[in-house]
Amino acid sequence: MHAVLIAVHAAAATVALAAGLAALRYPVLIGTHAVGTVLMGVTLAGALWVGRAGNTTVLNVVFLALLVLSLVMSWRSVRAWQHRPAVGESTSASYVAAVGFNCISLVTGLLAIAALRTDWGPVAIIAAGVLPTLIGRIPLNRALHARQ
């Protein structure tokens, strides 16, 4: 069951990332991003519950942090969907901020888990958690300034 939940979680996160990136340009895809993000969070919670006995304390802390992040991402994606622009209208700064935050968070989670699972060490895990945020903020800030 754990492997199935992880597979669905990874697939949902992949869909959420692809749809989120596309939704910045094509807001009609925000619903797909929101569904993917919520499904990602729900399956993460299930996978953490099912696999809780096999984790170390460090992994439990990291996974709990990722679960909280997935809840925030789900809330932001649903809010972006609620405030999506009408056909032909441009996206608002709050819409771009929410979707951009989620895309950065999805990349961060992907890289952090990769660093954890490949035993690259704590420096790689920290870098995987920090660098996507620092790098991702550059185009996000440009997009936000363009809308203000």
Side-chain angles (χ1 to χ4, degrees):
M1 181 60 146
H2 185 261
V4 170
L5 288 167
I6 292 297
V8 173
H9 167 77
T14 302
V15 168
L17 179 58
L21 291 170
L24 290 168
R25 186 171 185 110
Y26 305 103
V28 70
L29 294 172
I30 191 62
T32 303
H33 172 70
V35 169
T37 304
V38 170
L39 181 60
M40 176 202 69
V42 168
T43 55
L44 176 60
L48 293 178
W49 180 258
V50 170
R52 68 189 179 283
N55 292 336
T56 64
T57 302
V58 172
L59 282 179
N60 281 332
V61 169
V62 169
F63 290 151
L64 180 61
L66 289 174
L67 181 60
V68 171
L69 178 60
S70 77
L71 293 172
V72 172
M73 292 169 59
S74 294
W75 178 77
R76 291 193 79 169
S77 67
V78 169
R79 295 290 293 158
W81 177 78
Q82 290 172 337
H83 298 288
R84 67 194 178 279
V87 175
E89 290 183 6
S90 62
T91 55
S92 67
S94 63
Y95 174 91
V96 171
V99 177
F101 171 86
N102 282 355
C103 290
I104 290 169
S105 298
L106 286 161
V107 170
T108 301
L110 172 71
L111 293 176
I113 292 302
L116 272 170
R117 295 295 183 198
T118 56
D119 292 326
W120 288 344
V123 172
I125 295 168
I126 292 168
V130 173
L131 288 178
T133 302
L134 295 177
I135 295 168
R137 293 297 304 180
I138 295 167
L140 181 57
N141 285 339
R142 286 183 186 151
L144 290 173
H145 283 105
R147 282 169 182 66
Q148 294 174 342

